[in-house]
Amino acid sequence: MDRSWITAPRISEAYQHGVEEFLSFAEIHSATTDGNFFCPCVKCVNGRRHLLDDIRSHLICDGFSPTYTKWIWHGELVGHTATCPPHPVELQSGDLMEDMIRDLGQEGFRECHADIYDALQTDAHTPLYVGCKSFTRLSAVLALVNLKARFGWSDKSFTELVLLLKNMFPEHNSLPKSHYEAKKILCPVGLEYQRIHACPNDCLLYRNEFLDMRFCPTCGLSRYKANIGEGTEGSATASSRPTKVCWYLPIIPRLKRLFASEQDSKYLRWHIDERRMDCMIRHPTDCTQWKTFDSLYPSFAQEPRNLRLALASDGMNPFGNLTTNHSSWPVLLMIYNFPPWLSMKRKYMLLSVMIAGPKQPGNDIDVYLAPLIEDLIKLWVDGVEVYDANAKQSFNLRAMLFCTINDFPAYGNLSGYSVKGHHACPICEKNTCYIQLTHGKKIVYTRHRRFLSRNHPYRRLKKAFNGDNEVEIAPEPLSAHDVYQRVRDIETTFGKTQKKDMSAKNIWKKRSIFFDLPYWCNLDVRHCLDVMHVEKNVCDSLIDTLLNIKGKTKDSVKSRQDLVELGIQEQLHPVLRGARTYLPPACYTMSTAEKKSFCHCLANVKVPQGYSSNMKRLMPIKELKLIGLKSHDCHVLMQQLLPVAIRGILPEKVRNTITRLCFFFNAICSKVIDPSQLDILENEAAIIFCELEMLCGPVYLRWMYPVERFIKVLKGYTKNQYRPKASIVERYVAEEAIEFSSNYITNAQPVGVPQNRHQPSSQGRGTRGFDVVTMNLQRLSQAHLYVLNNTAEVMSYLHSHKNQLSAKNPRMNKMRLLQEHNRTFVNWFRQCIFADATAFETLRLLALGPNLNVPTWQGYDINGYAFYTKSQDARSTMQNSGVSVEGEAAHFSSVSDNNPINASMPYYGVIEDIWELDYGQFRVPVFSCRWVHANTGVRKHKMGFTLVDLKNGGYNDEPFIMAVQTRQVFYVEDPSDPTWSVVIQGKKFDMTDYSHYAPFDVTDIPHVNDQIPVIEATDEDDVEHAMRHDHHEGLWENNDT
């Protein structure tokens, strides 16, 4: 084959013809990975894999590598060439427009919207331009609006783009000229929504019997705004504007559309067909409430496609930061039938109600939930007929509300319980123990020792708590039937202006509308508190108090004066010294040196890519405080970094308590929970709360991180500042239509399931710092030997070689035998393979050994991690070079030891080089690491931390590991001893490869310790621990004049 075209001008016909010949040759002869081939352009130099179309673009734009004349990485054998005439391929559209229109046309759509249906049919058969075989007018518009929704283009930018494309395409093309025209084409795919007028005081919705009213029968306010120059307020005209509107997006047609998608309807059966069942809690299906409900309602449980829904709501400001006194409340539904990696994704979260501001609905939220509850009752009692595209049959769909997800204030709005005041605990109710502080003017809730076991030593302590021992037991939580008995006779008049009857103070404010659901009384857990808000509040309060942030610390003059009032903790009472008040250092009061150590530790933390924010930006060391902490920053701090940062500072008892609190949050946030550990965790929570005085499935499916992210998306929909809620609903409905149509467009990505830029494949790919280096034969042999020792196909040869050596040298001890095996195996293996004509091609390539010219990288993505070399880490704000591998090896006590112990243990190290060993038809990525000596450089702390001495190296003759074996870790310098570093597990990327379930066994923030360490509690009434004696840096406050 003539390859002189490689050096020809890229615009020449010969060069372009040669490129097509090369691509045809590679497609036939080269080994492919998911349709990707090595790219021989001058920039990639066979270091990266791309699709053929991308390779064509690279070769035309950048040029063909002039030295690559033997196409060995594309299937050409040395000394042989081959030709392959290019074959023309007629492009055809792979879009399923007919299927989409068929699914859209179910249930009389065609009869009810004949003109719209005919327009869709016409657009689906109209080519984009004369001779176009890839796109029709409809598919082109749907593909473009899909890109618009995924990347957040504005309407104006979209209009400019379609105008540019229309001018680029041949004349008389059918592409629309503006976003408005594209939207008109998209409209038939969208679902309906209802605009329901509401009383501005939240008294009622103008529907059903109130539909034709002009004034609210409760408060008397007009339904309509008064127009200038028109008659009396409240008179309805064609231009009348309602004073307040609630948007309801009916859930039944949206649930039907889910089942109209073959893939989505398959996922809705995941919890029955594909869920792993191993007695661990991975999904709400594994929890007690799901199983109890199935036993109570077997007819519902018999149909696995019946839906279990969760409801979440929270306030948001649609104007962003432009105003702070506006609160709109979206009501969202999540579907627990989906796999855990989909159920909380934006695509599958349903916006059902949009409650307009500017004031939050508060206790009157039931008024706005009424249309949703009516549909939920219909779905429970009668069900609806739905077509299942996966099963190709219709069935009667039913649904139930599994729980609500909310923060504590929203808990009160949804449940009807008063979460403020003296009896704010919905578990203890009137048995809530509280103290109204005289000076602090706050209510504190006490006597947590009631939740301890009857014989716990803390119950006998007096001075360390409130001066008395504790003999009472914890009150029994109210069941749903008990709650219903308390609220069933409460008569509630909704509305902001209604005076409440204060004669009988009832801590239950209303009978919640959820009790209209026939099954609500049989749910053990009806309202789930959001761990995200709880964790952030705890983290903020804890750090503000430890660092004594003025105005935010919980340790103030007033709190110390309340100690005086209560007559407890005398050693912490404030001392008047002239015009100032001295507060003696409490056990949690840090000295200036300790604050600097704490801040220095956090400021110098370098975490892996995508793990958290850059802590250095949040920690100005001179100010000794944390600034701008987001919810996820608090999540990472509480679960990983805070226990490390306080090592070596604070008294041991305080340090252990804070560490165990952090481990508790880490344990309950795990994506896989052992049910046998739940009682232990509950008891541990009670113990931790006592030491500080002195939670239906995994938490990650019940916290509000996805809800808050979705609310942020809704805020971004506010393009009309005068009609924010209408703008949000319109754009949400448009996105629903785009999501539906994306199922029928080739290569269209879903909007609400973001694609990760990192490759989830275990084969991995290089990301930065590519080079080709001619390697030293000795180092290359080390890497090659490791690959052979860890390849499954070679295992039988390894055993045979060891047996031959043992038979040949019966008096040689096992350490010498192992050394001789490592020295001679490569040559012996090559001879065996070449002598065997039946050996597989993979074994032959392994026997030949790798190419001396080794592709190297500075960054590599594999196993869901992004790895860097140490030198690349030094130029980065992240730490991606830490690795850990679980290795099984023979451990010898001495040179003459003939009884080695085979044990598996973790090894920790830092990546120095990343290689791809080239075996011709495949490459094997390996990491060359500097390892920490496992015996003298690794130790385990009693609190569960793994500590390593990174300067204590070992195993210099075995630096290589296969990249596929690695896990990522990162190291944080131990504040108590800088020689040592604390090992923390890295976090895998959020994979969306649904065919692999294994990644979801990994917790979002991995455990520092497998179990919460147990600290023995004593009944020694030690009050001295409440005060610091190792420093006298108390707090000074100016006296009020």
Side-chain angles (χ1 to χ4, degrees), residues 683-723:
N683 294 333
E684 183 67 17
I687 295 171
I688 291 171
F689 283 129
C690 290
E691 292 176 346
L692 291 175
E693 180 195 4
M694 19 191 260
L695 283 221
C696 19
V699 164
Y700 78 99
L701 293 177
R702 292 184 283 112
W703 61 21
M704 295 188 71
Y705 285 106
V707 176
E708 296 292 345
R709 294 188 191 107
F710 190 85
I711 288 176
K712 182 181 179 181
V713 172
L714 295 181
K715 289 181 182 179
Y717 290 165
T718 306
K719 302 300 181 181
N720 186 337
Q721 299 293 333
Y722 295 97
R723 301 286 186 271

Short mmCIF file of all heavy atoms in Angstrom, two decimals, residues 683-723:
data_model
loop_
_atom_site.label_atom_id
_atom_site.label_comp_id
_atom_site.label_asym_id
_atom_site.label_seq_id
_atom_site.Cartn_x
_atom_site.Cartn_y
_atom_site.Cartn_z
N ASN A 683 -28.27 3.22 70.13
CA ASN A 683 -27.71 3.36 71.48
C ASN A 683 -26.52 4.31 71.48
O ASN A 683 -26.34 5.10 72.40
CB ASN A 683 -27.28 1.99 72.02
CG ASN A 683 -28.46 1.07 72.23
OD1 ASN A 683 -29.58 1.52 72.47
ND2 ASN A 683 -28.23 -0.23 72.12
N GLU A 684 -25.71 4.23 70.42
CA GLU A 684 -24.54 5.10 70.32
C GLU A 684 -24.96 6.56 70.25
O GLU A 684 -24.32 7.43 70.85
CB GLU A 684 -23.72 4.73 69.08
CG GLU A 684 -22.44 5.52 68.92
CD GLU A 684 -21.41 5.22 69.98
OE1 GLU A 684 -21.54 4.18 70.67
OE2 GLU A 684 -20.48 6.02 70.15
N ALA A 685 -26.06 6.85 69.55
CA ALA A 685 -26.53 8.24 69.46
C ALA A 685 -26.91 8.76 70.84
O ALA A 685 -26.58 9.90 71.21
CB ALA A 685 -27.72 8.32 68.51
N ALA A 686 -27.58 7.94 71.62
CA ALA A 686 -27.96 8.38 72.96
C ALA A 686 -26.74 8.65 73.83
O ALA A 686 -26.68 9.65 74.56
CB ALA A 686 -28.85 7.32 73.62
N ILE A 687 -25.74 7.79 73.74
CA ILE A 687 -24.52 7.98 74.53
C ILE A 687 -23.80 9.25 74.12
O ILE A 687 -23.37 10.05 74.96
CB ILE A 687 -23.59 6.75 74.39
CG1 ILE A 687 -24.27 5.50 74.99
CG2 ILE A 687 -22.24 7.00 75.05
CD1 ILE A 687 -23.53 4.22 74.68
N ILE A 688 -23.70 9.47 72.81
CA ILE A 688 -23.01 10.67 72.33
C ILE A 688 -23.71 11.94 72.80
O ILE A 688 -23.07 12.89 73.25
CB ILE A 688 -22.91 10.64 70.79
CG1 ILE A 688 -21.96 9.52 70.35
CG2 ILE A 688 -22.43 11.98 70.23
CD1 ILE A 688 -21.97 9.27 68.85
N PHE A 689 -25.04 11.96 72.74
CA PHE A 689 -25.76 13.15 73.18
C PHE A 689 -25.56 13.39 74.67
O PHE A 689 -25.46 14.53 75.12
CB PHE A 689 -27.25 13.03 72.85
CG PHE A 689 -27.57 13.26 71.41
CD1 PHE A 689 -28.34 12.37 70.69
CD2 PHE A 689 -27.08 14.38 70.76
CE1 PHE A 689 -28.61 12.58 69.36
CE2 PHE A 689 -27.36 14.61 69.42
CZ PHE A 689 -28.12 13.70 68.73
N CYS A 690 -25.49 12.31 75.44
CA CYS A 690 -25.23 12.48 76.87
C CYS A 690 -23.85 13.06 77.10
O CYS A 690 -23.67 13.94 77.94
CB CYS A 690 -25.37 11.14 77.59
SG CYS A 690 -27.05 10.53 77.69
N GLU A 691 -22.87 12.58 76.34
CA GLU A 691 -21.53 13.10 76.51
C GLU A 691 -21.42 14.54 76.03
O GLU A 691 -20.60 15.30 76.53
CB GLU A 691 -20.53 12.21 75.76
CG GLU A 691 -20.41 10.82 76.38
CD GLU A 691 -19.50 9.91 75.58
OE1 GLU A 691 -19.18 10.26 74.42
OE2 GLU A 691 -19.10 8.87 76.12
N LEU A 692 -22.24 14.95 75.09
CA LEU A 692 -22.24 16.34 74.65
C LEU A 692 -22.96 17.23 75.66
O LEU A 692 -22.67 18.41 75.77
CB LEU A 692 -22.90 16.48 73.28
CG LEU A 692 -22.13 15.89 72.11
CD1 LEU A 692 -22.95 16.00 70.84
CD2 LEU A 692 -20.80 16.61 71.93
N GLU A 693 -23.91 16.70 76.37
CA GLU A 693 -24.56 17.47 77.44
C GLU A 693 -23.70 17.39 78.65
O GLU A 693 -23.65 18.35 79.43
CB GLU A 693 -25.92 16.88 77.75
CG GLU A 693 -26.65 17.64 78.85
CD GLU A 693 -27.81 16.84 79.38
OE1 GLU A 693 -27.99 15.70 78.95
OE2 GLU A 693 -28.48 17.37 80.25
N MET A 694 -23.63 16.43 78.62
CA MET A 694 -22.89 16.58 79.79
C MET A 694 -22.68 17.78 79.75
O MET A 694 -23.18 18.59 79.31
CB MET A 694 -22.30 15.39 80.35
CG MET A 694 -22.16 14.21 79.40
SD MET A 694 -21.75 12.79 80.16
CE MET A 694 -20.14 12.59 79.95
N LEU A 695 -32.00 7.58 63.68
CA LEU A 695 -32.72 8.19 62.70
C LEU A 695 -33.51 7.28 62.18
O LEU A 695 -33.73 6.91 62.74
CB LEU A 695 -31.82 8.89 62.00
CG LEU A 695 -30.97 10.01 61.80
CD1 LEU A 695 -30.52 10.76 61.27
CD2 LEU A 695 -30.42 10.29 62.17
N CYS A 696 -36.24 3.53 57.64
CA CYS A 696 -36.94 3.34 56.40
C CYS A 696 -36.01 3.32 55.17
O CYS A 696 -36.23 3.95 54.19
CB CYS A 696 -37.79 4.42 56.18
SG CYS A 696 -38.60 5.82 56.15
N GLY A 697 -34.91 2.75 55.33
CA GLY A 697 -34.01 2.64 54.19
C GLY A 697 -32.80 3.52 54.36
O GLY A 697 -32.70 4.29 55.31
N PRO A 698 -31.84 3.38 53.44
CA PRO A 698 -30.61 4.17 53.56
C PRO A 698 -30.89 5.66 53.55
O PRO A 698 -31.78 6.16 52.87
CB PRO A 698 -29.81 3.75 52.32
CG PRO A 698 -30.37 2.42 51.92
CD PRO A 698 -31.81 2.46 52.30
N VAL A 699 -30.08 6.38 54.33
CA VAL A 699 -30.29 7.82 54.48
C VAL A 699 -30.11 8.56 53.16
O VAL A 699 -30.80 9.54 52.89
CB VAL A 699 -29.32 8.37 55.55
CG1 VAL A 699 -29.19 9.88 55.47
CG2 VAL A 699 -29.81 7.95 56.94
N TYR A 700 -29.20 8.07 52.30
CA TYR A 700 -28.92 8.82 51.07
C TYR A 700 -30.12 8.85 50.13
O TYR A 700 -30.14 9.62 49.17
CB TYR A 700 -27.69 8.25 50.37
CG TYR A 700 -27.91 6.98 49.58
CD1 TYR A 700 -28.09 7.02 48.21
CD2 TYR A 700 -27.94 5.74 50.20
CE1 TYR A 700 -28.29 5.86 47.47
CE2 TYR A 700 -28.12 4.58 49.50
CZ TYR A 700 -28.30 4.65 48.13
OH TYR A 700 -28.50 3.49 47.43
N LEU A 701 -31.14 8.01 50.36
CA LEU A 701 -32.38 8.10 49.59
C LEU A 701 -33.42 8.92 50.32
O LEU A 701 -34.57 9.01 49.87
CB LEU A 701 -32.92 6.69 49.32
CG LEU A 701 -32.08 5.82 48.38
CD1 LEU A 701 -32.67 4.43 48.25
CD2 LEU A 701 -31.95 6.47 47.01
N ARG A 702 -33.04 9.50 51.46
CA ARG A 702 -33.99 10.31 52.23
C ARG A 702 -33.40 11.66 52.64
O ARG A 702 -33.97 12.32 53.50
CB ARG A 702 -34.44 9.55 53.48
CG ARG A 702 -35.29 8.34 53.18
CD ARG A 702 -35.80 7.67 54.45
NE ARG A 702 -34.77 6.88 55.12
CZ ARG A 702 -34.24 7.19 56.29
NH1 ARG A 702 -34.61 8.28 56.92
NH2 ARG A 702 -33.32 6.43 56.83
N TRP A 703 -32.23 12.03 52.08
CA TRP A 703 -31.73 13.35 52.39
C TRP A 703 -32.02 14.30 51.23
O TRP A 703 -32.47 13.88 50.17
CB TRP A 703 -30.26 13.32 52.76
CG TRP A 703 -29.29 12.80 51.71
CD1 TRP A 703 -29.47 12.72 50.36
CD2 TRP A 703 -27.98 12.31 51.96
NE1 TRP A 703 -28.36 12.21 49.75
CE2 TRP A 703 -27.42 11.95 50.72
CE3 TRP A 703 -27.20 12.16 53.11
CZ2 TRP A 703 -26.13 11.43 50.60
CZ3 TRP A 703 -25.94 11.65 52.97
CH2 TRP A 703 -25.41 11.29 51.75
N MET A 704 -31.76 15.58 51.46
CA MET A 704 -32.25 16.59 50.53
C MET A 704 -31.17 17.17 49.63
O MET A 704 -31.39 18.21 49.01
CB MET A 704 -32.96 17.70 51.30
CG MET A 704 -34.23 17.23 51.99
SD MET A 704 -35.22 18.54 52.73
CE MET A 704 -35.88 19.34 51.27
N TYR A 705 -30.02 16.52 49.52
CA TYR A 705 -29.03 16.99 48.56
C TYR A 705 -29.61 16.99 47.14
O TYR A 705 -29.52 18.00 46.43
CB TYR A 705 -27.77 16.11 48.61
CG TYR A 705 -26.89 16.37 49.80
CD1 TYR A 705 -26.83 15.47 50.86
CD2 TYR A 705 -26.11 17.53 49.88
CE1 TYR A 705 -26.02 15.70 51.96
CE2 TYR A 705 -25.29 17.76 50.98
CZ TYR A 705 -25.26 16.85 52.02
OH TYR A 705 -24.46 17.10 53.11
N PRO A 706 -30.24 15.89 46.67
CA PRO A 706 -30.83 15.93 45.32
C PRO A 706 -31.97 16.94 45.22
O PRO A 706 -32.15 17.57 44.18
CB PRO A 706 -31.33 14.50 45.10
CG PRO A 706 -30.60 13.66 46.09
CD PRO A 706 -30.38 14.54 47.26
N VAL A 707 -32.74 17.09 46.31
CA VAL A 707 -33.85 18.04 46.29
C VAL A 707 -33.34 19.46 46.16
O VAL A 707 -33.85 20.27 45.37
CB VAL A 707 -34.72 17.88 47.56
CG1 VAL A 707 -35.82 18.94 47.60
CG2 VAL A 707 -35.32 16.48 47.61
N GLU A 708 -32.30 19.80 46.93
CA GLU A 708 -31.74 21.15 46.86
C GLU A 708 -31.13 21.40 45.48
O GLU A 708 -31.21 22.52 44.95
CB GLU A 708 -30.69 21.34 47.96
CG GLU A 708 -31.25 21.27 49.38
CD GLU A 708 -32.17 22.45 49.71
OE1 GLU A 708 -32.14 23.45 48.96
OE2 GLU A 708 -32.91 22.36 50.70
N ARG A 709 -30.48 20.40 44.89
CA ARG A 709 -29.93 20.57 43.54
C ARG A 709 -31.05 20.80 42.53
O ARG A 709 -30.93 21.63 41.62
CB ARG A 709 -29.11 19.34 43.14
CG ARG A 709 -27.86 19.13 43.99
CD ARG A 709 -27.00 18.01 43.41
NE ARG A 709 -25.96 17.64 44.34
CZ ARG A 709 -25.95 16.50 45.03
NH1 ARG A 709 -26.93 15.63 44.89
NH2 ARG A 709 -24.95 16.23 45.86
N PHE A 710 -32.16 20.07 42.70
CA PHE A 710 -33.30 20.25 41.79
C PHE A 710 -33.91 21.63 41.96
O PHE A 710 -34.30 22.27 40.97
CB PHE A 710 -34.34 19.17 42.07
CG PHE A 710 -35.44 19.09 41.04
CD1 PHE A 710 -35.26 18.36 39.88
CD2 PHE A 710 -36.64 19.76 41.21
CE1 PHE A 710 -36.26 18.28 38.93
CE2 PHE A 710 -37.63 19.70 40.27
CZ PHE A 710 -37.45 18.95 39.12
N ILE A 711 -33.99 22.10 43.20
CA ILE A 711 -34.53 23.44 43.44
C ILE A 711 -33.63 24.50 42.79
O ILE A 711 -34.10 25.51 42.26
CB ILE A 711 -34.69 23.68 44.95
CG1 ILE A 711 -35.87 22.85 45.48
CG2 ILE A 711 -34.89 25.14 45.28
CD1 ILE A 711 -36.06 22.92 46.98
N LYS A 712 -32.32 24.26 42.82
CA LYS A 712 -31.41 25.19 42.14
C LYS A 712 -31.69 25.22 40.65
O LYS A 712 -31.64 26.29 40.01
CB LYS A 712 -29.96 24.77 42.39
CG LYS A 712 -28.94 25.70 41.77
CD LYS A 712 -27.52 25.25 42.03
CE LYS A 712 -26.52 26.20 41.37
NZ LYS A 712 -25.12 25.76 41.57
N VAL A 713 -31.99 24.05 40.05
CA VAL A 713 -32.35 24.01 38.63
C VAL A 713 -33.62 24.81 38.39
O VAL A 713 -33.72 25.58 37.43
CB VAL A 713 -32.53 22.54 38.17
CG1 VAL A 713 -33.09 22.48 36.76
CG2 VAL A 713 -31.21 21.79 38.24
N LEU A 714 -34.61 24.67 39.29
CA LEU A 714 -35.86 25.41 39.14
C LEU A 714 -35.62 26.92 39.21
O LEU A 714 -36.24 27.70 38.49
CB LEU A 714 -36.87 24.98 40.21
CG LEU A 714 -37.36 23.53 40.14
CD1 LEU A 714 -38.37 23.27 41.26
CD2 LEU A 714 -37.98 23.22 38.79
N LYS A 715 -34.72 27.32 40.09
CA LYS A 715 -34.38 28.74 40.15
C LYS A 715 -33.83 29.23 38.83
O LYS A 715 -34.11 30.36 38.40
CB LYS A 715 -33.34 28.99 41.26
CG LYS A 715 -33.86 28.84 42.68
CD LYS A 715 -32.74 29.14 43.65
CE LYS A 715 -33.19 28.94 45.09
NZ LYS A 715 -32.09 29.22 46.05
N GLY A 716 -33.02 28.39 38.18
CA GLY A 716 -32.46 28.77 36.89
C GLY A 716 -33.49 28.89 35.79
O GLY A 716 -33.21 29.47 34.74
N TYR A 717 -34.70 28.35 36.02
CA TYR A 717 -35.77 28.47 35.04
C TYR A 717 -36.45 29.83 35.07
O TYR A 717 -37.29 30.13 34.23
CB TYR A 717 -36.84 27.39 35.28
CG TYR A 717 -36.42 25.99 34.95
CD1 TYR A 717 -37.15 24.90 35.40
CD2 TYR A 717 -35.29 25.74 34.17
CE1 TYR A 717 -36.78 23.60 35.10
CE2 TYR A 717 -34.90 24.44 33.87
CZ TYR A 717 -35.66 23.38 34.34
OH TYR A 717 -35.27 22.10 34.03
N THR A 718 -36.12 30.64 36.09
CA THR A 718 -36.76 31.95 36.23
C THR A 718 -36.15 32.92 35.23
O THR A 718 -35.15 33.58 35.52
CB THR A 718 -36.61 32.49 37.66
OG1 THR A 718 -37.08 31.49 38.58
CG2 THR A 718 -37.40 33.76 37.86
N LYS A 719 -36.76 33.01 34.05
CA LYS A 719 -36.28 33.93 33.02
C LYS A 719 -37.15 35.18 32.93
O LYS A 719 -36.76 36.16 32.32
CB LYS A 719 -36.26 33.22 31.65
CG LYS A 719 -35.40 31.97 31.61
CD LYS A 719 -33.95 32.28 31.95
CE LYS A 719 -33.08 31.03 31.88
NZ LYS A 719 -31.68 31.29 32.23
N ASN A 720 -38.31 35.14 33.55
CA ASN A 720 -39.21 36.29 33.57
C ASN A 720 -39.39 36.72 35.02
O ASN A 720 -40.06 36.05 35.79
CB ASN A 720 -40.56 35.92 32.94
CG ASN A 720 -41.49 37.11 32.80
OD1 ASN A 720 -41.37 38.11 33.51
ND2 ASN A 720 -42.44 37.00 31.88
N GLN A 721 -38.75 37.82 35.38
CA GLN A 721 -38.78 38.26 36.78
C GLN A 721 -40.17 38.67 37.23
O GLN A 721 -40.45 38.73 38.43
CB GLN A 721 -37.81 39.43 36.98
CG GLN A 721 -36.35 39.09 36.69
CD GLN A 721 -35.78 38.09 37.68
OE1 GLN A 721 -36.22 38.00 38.82
NE2 GLN A 721 -34.80 37.30 37.25
N TYR A 722 -41.08 38.96 36.29
CA TYR A 722 -42.44 39.36 36.65
C TYR A 722 -43.37 38.16 36.80
O TYR A 722 -44.41 38.26 37.45
CB TYR A 722 -43.01 40.32 35.60
CG TYR A 722 -42.26 41.64 35.53
CD1 TYR A 722 -41.27 41.84 34.58
CD2 TYR A 722 -42.53 42.66 36.44
CE1 TYR A 722 -40.57 43.03 34.52
CE2 TYR A 722 -41.83 43.86 36.39
CZ TYR A 722 -40.85 44.04 35.43
OH TYR A 722 -40.16 45.22 35.38
N ARG A 723 -43.01 37.05 36.18
CA ARG A 723 -43.82 35.84 36.27
C ARG A 723 -42.90 34.66 36.60
O ARG A 723 -42.74 33.74 35.81
CB ARG A 723 -44.55 35.57 34.96
CG ARG A 723 -45.49 36.68 34.51
CD ARG A 723 -46.77 36.71 35.34
NE ARG A 723 -47.71 37.67 34.80
CZ ARG A 723 -47.75 38.94 35.15
NH1 ARG A 723 -46.86 39.41 36.02
NH2 ARG A 723 -48.66 39.75 34.64
#
